[in-house]
Amino acid sequence: MVNTEIPKHYTASPSSFSGTPHLTINREVTVDLDSHNAFEGPEKLLEVWFSASPTSLPACTATAGLKVVPAEIWKDMLDLVNCKVLSIVESEHVDAYLLSESSMFVFPHKLILKTCGTTTLLCGLPRILEIAGQLAGFPHTTTNRITGSGTAASPYRVFYSRKNFLFPDRQRGPHRSWRDEVKSLDRLFLGGSAYMIGKMNGEHWYLYLTEPNTILTPPATPDRAETETKILDLPSKAATLHHIENVEEQQDETLEVLMTDLDEENAKQFYLEHASTVAEGRYFQRAYKAKKDAQQHLGIIRESCFESLNRQEGQEILRGDYHPQDAVDIFSNTSSENGEFNSSEDEDLFPAELATEGHALGTVVSECSGLSDVYPSSKYPDARVDAYLFTPCGFSANGVIPAPQGPRATHYFTVHVTPEPHCSYASFETNVPSQQTGRETAEIVEQVVSIFKPGRFSVTLFEAKPTFTAADLDYDAAAELLVLERQAAKKSAKTDCIRGYRRAERIVHNLDGYDLVFKYYERWDWDGSAPARLGEMAF
């Protein structure tokens, strides 16, 4: 049941309760924010790691790492990306920023930035490197070519990925084509690798990643041959293996479910008008129930009061002559005698927050759609969801998910929805380890897909695994590696069967110690009337 009892002058998100991570709302940005032009749903996703884990920060680094950086500094960086901060959920292990175009997560050792629309995400990357070196204290180098200011931190690893755009011709800056994006990344880092996974003339996914202990491109490096994009269309294994020693990196797991062609009727729940109607119905239903409960209790109160009357008052009641001076109708100011809400004053009781865009309706949608049940509070009592519903439609949410048991850690999930029929799209991303949930990845995927009911969708699972160099491949290590590969294959096979859908494509690849699984699905009754947009072909 949605709790819609929001007091007047409310100043916090409905997802924020006493004793939970602190939430801050940027009200200047949220005023008159409109999503009419948010047509490009598929996001650009950047992960910049400055160390392998929050417990292995360099000695020169601030104790809190990137979390020591003030929010205002990050907001200035996001101006380069062309998006704004709506709200922030601050916790011990991660700060979750809900943006006007998607999300950002700041850990002590890494930053994750995900933006949709025509944002220029890679334009913010040099500034991120500068901030990490100057304010967080990560080891840095002096160079004018990279940042334009003289300082750039050397990252541990960098990952950049995205799905093929719906409207590539409307992108700006370095995002006009995958080739331009690769060039932009190559100007910053040496030894990067670029991949395209999926069909060139269908749904596909791009990935750029660097090796561990990434080396920045030296200032004096002349123009060199650009990184070639490798097309992955068959199961494959990398020729070179290396050992991942850090536990944090071994547990790194990112699941993305990227959905298009959402069911139109089902997508109405992500429109402001529909959500407000639902919230209003629930609000007055709860109010009516509360009134009826009070009336029932009033009968008990009257009986108790009658027992306390003196003899004279009792005789007056029997004669019908008892008229207490202080008798008050407790419902006279809120309802009619028949208990229905039909006065103009009743309409004034409905909170304005439930009739306008913002965090209040975002929470209603999160709970009514079932998103809040993906990681339920019964298992994750400290989890918090920060959601926002846009005008006239569109939805974004960040979830901060502390580990319920075991080592102290905090993970996240993020959801973004563009429900308009001509460009409908929804994404779900999480790094909550499947071992922590006790559920198979296929169960999470199936639950998410049932919420949005897409005509088709793709799944990418990027999972770190311990591997070994050739020198380490003795009998025991080789046997362990074989077991791990079989486990990964078994896990991947379980996601082949998603109820109501057929798997049309499956690609498994090993990339520098990570298992990458890409799968594409179509609904069984999908007629193919809306073929996949090809996107840019030049890379």
Side-chain angles (χ1 to χ4, degrees):
M1 180 65 70
V2 178
N3 180 8
T4 57
E5 297 178 355
I6 302 176
K8 294 181 179 179
H9 312 300
Y10 194 66
T11 58
S13 165
S15 61
S16 175
F17 299 95
S18 176
T20 65
H22 176 69
L23 182 141
T24 303
I25 298 176
N26 186 347
R27 299 199 177 279
E28 292 183 0
V29 171
T30 58
V31 172
D32 297 327
L33 189 62
D34 198 303
S35 65
H36 278 93
N37 297 322
F39 57 86
E40 183 65 72
E43 303 97 343
K44 314 163 185 81
L45 175 60
L46 173 70
E47 284 197 33
V48 186
W49 293 52
F50 291 96
S51 68
S53 77
T55 59
S56 61
L57 300 179
C60 58
T61 307
T63 304
L66 293 173
K67 279 174 53 63
V68 77
V69 177
E72 293 302 319
I73 300 297
W74 293 126
K75 290 177 183 178
D76 290 341
M77 180 275 293
L78 291 169
D79 286 341
L80 301 173
V81 179
N82 291 296
C83 62
K84 300 294 183 181
V85 174
L86 300 180
S87 54
I88 308 170
V89 175
E90 298 176 348
S91 67
E92 181 181 357
H93 302 285
V94 59
D95 294 337
Y97 289 68
L98 194 63
L99 308 179
S100 56
E101 285 85 7
S102 300
S103 304
M104 181 173 75
F105 298 90
V106 180
F107 295 81
H109 65 301
K110 65 180 178 181
L111 179 142
I112 300 172
L113 179 57
K114 186 172 191 174
T115 65
C116 60
T118 56
T119 50
T120 52
L121 184 150
L122 290 179
C123 291
L125 180 53
R127 178 60 177 150
I128 292 173
L129 300 178
E130 181 183 18
I131 291 171
Q134 289 184 342
L135 299 179
F138 284 95
H140 53 273
T141 185
T142 300
T143 170
N144 293 322
R145 179 177 178 181
I146 295 178
T147 66
S149 64
T151 301
S154 301
Y156 173 69
R157 295 203 77 166
V158 177
F159 304 85
Y160 175 72
S161 64
R162 66 170 175 84
K163 180 185 178 295
N164 55 302
F165 289 131
L166 299 178
F167 307 101
D169 56 309
R170 301 183 184 182
Q171 291 297 315
R172 298 179 294 170
H175 301 286
R176 292 187 176 92
S177 72
W178 176 245
R179 181 176 182 177
D180 288 344
E181 290 171 313
V182 171
K183 285 183 176 180
S184 179
L185 291 161
D186 277 349
R187 282 196 294 268
L188 297 175
F189 313 115
L190 288 175
S193 300
Y195 302 89
M196 192 197 83
I197 301 95
K199 296 180 179 179
M200 293 177 63
N201 61 343
E203 297 293 329
H204 52 271
W205 187 72
Y206 296 103
L207 170 67
Y208 181 99
L209 75 163
T210 64
E211 298 178 350
N213 301 309
T214 301
I215 300 175
L216 296 174
T217 301
T221 299
D223 293 337
R224 66 186 194 281
E226 63 186 71
T227 299
E228 177 187 1
T229 297
K230 303 171 186 177
I231 300 175
L232 306 185
D233 56 1
L234 294 172
S236 174
K237 295 181 182 179
T240 303
L241 304 176
H242 72 278
H243 179 57
I244 299 178
E245 297 180 352
N246 189 275
V247 175
E248 172 79 10
E249 192 176 2
Q250 288 184 21
Q251 295 178 347
D252 183 30
E253 176 181 328
T254 301
L255 170 69
E256 278 191 290
V257 185
L258 311 177
M259 299 160 278
T260 58
D261 304 287
L262 310 182
D263 179 84
E264 290 189 29
E265 188 65 29
N266 184 68
K268 289 180 180 179
Q269 62 187 316
F270 301 104
Y271 281 75
L272 188 144
E273 182 178 3
H274 181 277
S276 182
T277 300
V278 171
E280 182 178 9
R282 291 192 169 218
Y283 179 87
F284 286 115
Q285 183 183 38
R286 290 172 63 88
Y288 181 74
K289 183 179 183 301
K291 175 188 171 179
K292 287 298 185 183
D293 290 343
Q295 287 176 328
Q296 292 178 359
H297 287 294
L298 184 61
I300 298 175
I301 294 173
R302 284 174 175 171
E303 181 179 351
S304 175
C305 291
F306 183 81
E307 293 175 353
S308 65
L309 294 174
N310 58 37
R311 177 174 297 182
Q312 181 180 349
E313 291 172 331
Q315 291 175 348
E316 291 176 353
I317 290 175
L318 293 175
R319 293 195 307 267
D321 296 332
Y322 182 66
H323 302 290
Q325 298 298 317
D326 298 328
V328 178
D329 181 1
I330 65 172
F331 297 111
S332 62
N333 293 326
T334 59
S335 65
S336 61
E337 292 182 359
N338 62 9
E340 297 299 328
F341 291 88
N342 55 12
S343 70
S344 60
E345 293 181 358
D346 294 330
E347 297 177 0
D348 295 335
L349 297 175
F350 185 61
E353 292 88 346
L354 295 180
T356 57
E357 74 165 59
H359 293 82
L361 278 182
T363 299
V364 171
V365 171
S366 178
E367 296 183 352
C368 291
S369 66
L371 283 170
S372 59
D373 296 328
V374 177
Y375 299 108
S377 58
S378 58
K379 182 168 183 178
Y380 300 93
D382 296 325
R384 293 295 171 260
V385 178
D386 179 25
Y388 194 98
L389 186 68
F390 295 89
T391 299
C393 61
F395 173 83
S396 289
N398 285 341
V400 176
I401 315 294
Q405 299 174 349
R408 295 176 60 83
T410 299
H411 301 92
Y412 71 90
F413 77 84
T414 183
V415 176
H416 303 282
V417 186
T418 302
E420 295 96 325
H422 66 285
C423 58
S424 63
Y425 173 83
S427 68
F428 173 87
E429 177 190 342
T430 183
N431 73 338
V432 179
S434 56
Q435 293 180 349
Q436 177 177 303
T437 64
R439 303 168 63 192
E440 296 288 347
T441 301
E443 295 180 56
I444 299 294
V445 172
E446 197 165 277
Q447 184 174 0
V448 170
V449 169
S450 68
I451 293 172
F452 298 100
K453 297 179 171 55
R456 45 193 179 165
F457 68 94
S458 59
V459 172
T460 61
L461 179 62
F462 208 58
E463 185 176 17
K465 68 174 186 177
T467 55
F468 305 88
T469 62
D472 295 327
L473 290 179
D474 55 24
Y475 176 81
D476 292 336
E480 181 181 356
L481 180 59
L482 182 60
V483 170
L484 291 170
E485 289 181 342
R486 288 176 176 174
Q487 290 176 345
K490 183 178 180 180
K491 181 178 180 180
S492 173
K494 290 182 178 179
T495 59
D496 284 350
C497 301
I498 303 297
R499 281 181 295 183
Y501 295 84
R502 69 178 186 89
R503 179 183 58 76
E505 192 170 4
R506 174 177 179 267
I507 297 172
V508 181
H509 205 81
N510 182 284
L511 301 169
D512 282 329
Y514 280 86
D515 276 328
L516 169 62
V517 178
F518 173 87
K519 296 185 179 184
Y520 170 66
Y521 302 78
E522 293 179 348
R523 199 171 56 222
W524 280 109
D525 62 351
W526 177 252
D527 59 8
S529 58
R533 295 174 175 84
L534 300 186
E536 75 283 351
M537 297 298 296
F539 52 77

